[in-house]
Amino acid sequence: ELPELTETDPMAIGLGYKKDTATVDAAKQPKHKPEQNCANCALYTSKSDTAGACAIFAGKQVSAIGWCSVWAPKA
Ligand code: SF4
C-alpha cells in the first residue's frame, strides 16, 4: 500500500495540499471551493473510501476529502 501524503511533504506544501478540504485557508487559496476534494478531482484514482492515488503525487496516497491547488473537475 502506498504511504500517505503528509501536509509537510515539500511538494504538498508547494501545492497547498490539505488532508481535509475544510481546512484550506481561503486567504491563501482564493480559488478553493468547499465542495472540491480529491474524490471529485480529475487526477484522483480511488483505492478505498478514504484514500486514493493522485497523478501529481506519484507513489503516495492522498485523502479522499483532501485538496490541493491543482484540483480540476472530473470530465
Ligand atoms: Fe487531490 Fe486532485 Fe490535488 Fe491530487 S490534484 S491532491 S487528487 S485535489
Side-chain angles (χ1 to χ4, degrees):
E1 190 166 278
L2 299 174
E4 187 185 331
L5 177 67
T6 63
E7 294 181 359
T8 52
D9 176 289
M11 196 171 151
I13 292 171
L15 296 177
Y17 174 77
K18 295 290 179 190
K19 288 200 276 190
D20 183 345
T21 193
T23 66
V24 174
D25 184 343
K28 287 184 188 160
Q29 303 290 350
K31 289 192 288 185
H32 170 260
K33 295 195 169 57
E35 63 271 22
Q36 297 172 347
N37 57 44
C38 293
N40 63 29
C41 174
L43 295 141
Y44 184 77
T45 308
S46 176
K47 299 279 193 205
S48 73
D49 287 347
T50 56
C54 169
I56 298 288
F57 297 102
K60 299 279 171 67
Q61 284 200 89
V62 297
S63 167
I65 61 166
W67 185 89
C68 87
S69 58
V70 182
W71 184 90
K74 280 191 191 292

